[in-house]
Amino acid sequence: MKRSYQALEPTLFFLMLMVIWEISARMIGQPYLLPSPIQIVMRTIDLSESLFFTHLPATLAIISIGLALSIALGILLSLLMFWNERVERAVYPLLVASQTIPVIALAPIFVLWFGYSIWSKVAVTVLLTFFPITVNTYDGLKSTNRQYEELFYTMGATKRQLFFRLFVPSTLPSFLTGLRIAVPLAVIGAAVGEWLGANEGLGYFSRRMMTQFDGPGVFAPIFILSLLGILGFAAIKKLENILLPWRKKQ
């Protein structure tokens, strides 16, 4: 009963926002500036074949490859920083500095380096997503209880057993938190990369519709991108509940 009530509140608030948006759009009466939610949904249905069978797979490929590379890079860097203080002192400031550079400024450079291939968009996605994964994983490793570590050594555990039976379980909550942050950022990264240089993808399609002053057409792929981000976030949250059931009881 309590869960149903908790889900009802955001649903009602969302519906209220949609009603306000619908009324405001109808009052303005200029769909190319502010299309209504109904117009966006109808336009999405009209463009569904192109959106879902041509541009959505291209965007999903960028998100998947970008996230996979970010996870691999993030885990590797966090382990190197955790095992070697010199690496931590050298790399950590660069990690922070990488997030101070506007992605919108680097995206054209990636297009210059990689052309209009998928890798220019993947580079933008990795730039946005590897930071939260790396930092959260590293913080998880650092926050492992030292008393447990001493206990493992006392019981004769090898370094391999210590890593997989203590550090990995202790770091998993932080890693999943970083991944939960990274998934919506991956959607943004893919869209930004496609917006600035691509031949297909939801971001590219939105930009193409903008040149035609098709307001509902601009918002249709954005609507799908938002759903991707929400579904990805929910999927990681579900995985977190499965792997870390004790968190639900807190």
Side-chain angles (χ1 to χ4, degrees):
M1 184 67 180
K2 185 178 179 181
R3 286 187 178 180
S4 300
Y5 180 74
Q6 290 176 342
L8 182 62
E9 289 180 334
T11 302
L12 290 176
F13 181 68
F14 174 77
L15 292 175
M16 183 183 70
L17 290 178
M18 291 299 102
V19 170
I20 294 173
W21 183 357
E22 183 72 29
I23 294 173
S24 300
R26 290 182 181 274
M27 290 176 62
I28 294 174
Q30 295 179 329
Y32 66 94
L33 290 178
L34 183 65
S36 70
I38 293 178
Q39 290 173 325
I40 294 171
V41 171
M42 296 304 297
R43 190 65 173 141
T44 303
I45 295 173
D46 292 339
L47 300 170
S48 60
E49 183 175 353
S50 177
L51 286 172
F52 290 104
F53 294 101
T54 300
H55 300 287
L56 177 59
T59 301
L60 285 175
I62 295 169
I63 294 171
S64 301
I65 296 173
L67 274 177
L69 291 175
S70 292
I71 291 171
L73 179 63
I75 293 175
L76 177 62
L77 283 177
S78 61
L79 288 174
L80 289 176
M81 289 191 297
F82 178 68
W83 285 332
N84 193 311
E85 290 186 2
R86 290 183 177 180
V87 175
E88 189 270 339
R89 289 195 297 268
V91 172
Y92 203 93
L94 296 178
L95 287 176
V96 176
S98 70
Q99 300 306 296
T100 64
I101 305 173
V103 176
I104 198 73
L106 287 179
I109 297 176
F110 291 146
V111 173
L112 183 65
W113 289 348
F114 301 107
Y116 288 101
S117 69
I118 189 175
W119 298 110
S120 60
K121 277 73 72 178
V122 168
V124 176
T125 305
V126 171
L127 183 63
L128 279 176
T129 56
F130 86 98
F131 181 77
I133 295 175
T134 304
V135 171
N136 279 275
T137 304
Y138 175 68
D139 287 345
L141 289 167
K142 293 283 285 186
S143 62
T144 301
N145 194 313
R146 295 302 174 184
Q147 293 180 344
Y148 289 156
E149 184 177 355
E150 293 174 1
L151 177 62
F152 268 67
Y153 278 127
T154 302
M155 298 174 66
T158 64
K159 289 186 177 181
R160 180 184 179 87
Q161 291 172 328
L162 183 70
F163 178 74
F164 285 103
R165 297 187 181 183
L166 177 61
F167 284 104
V168 170
S170 298
T171 307
L172 189 58
S174 298
F175 167 75
L176 290 174
T177 298
L179 187 59
R180 193 150 31 98
I181 297 171
V183 167
L185 291 176
V187 176
I188 295 173
V192 169
E194 290 171 344
W195 183 279
L196 295 175
N199 296 316
E200 58 182 357
L202 295 174
Y204 159 78
F205 189 85
S206 180
R207 180 171 63 87
R208 196 180 79 183
M209 291 295 101
M210 185 183 68
T211 61
Q212 301 175 14
F213 295 96
D214 186 346
V218 171
F219 276 84
I222 295 175
F223 170 69
I224 299 174
L225 286 168
S226 298
L227 287 180
L228 282 179
I230 293 171
L231 291 174
F233 184 92
I236 300 301
K237 185 63 178 176
K238 182 67 175 178
L239 179 63
E240 189 174 350
N241 292 337
I242 295 172
L243 297 178
L244 310 170
W246 52 267
R247 271 197 165 188
K248 296 189 292 183
K249 299 178 182 179
Q250 292 184 342

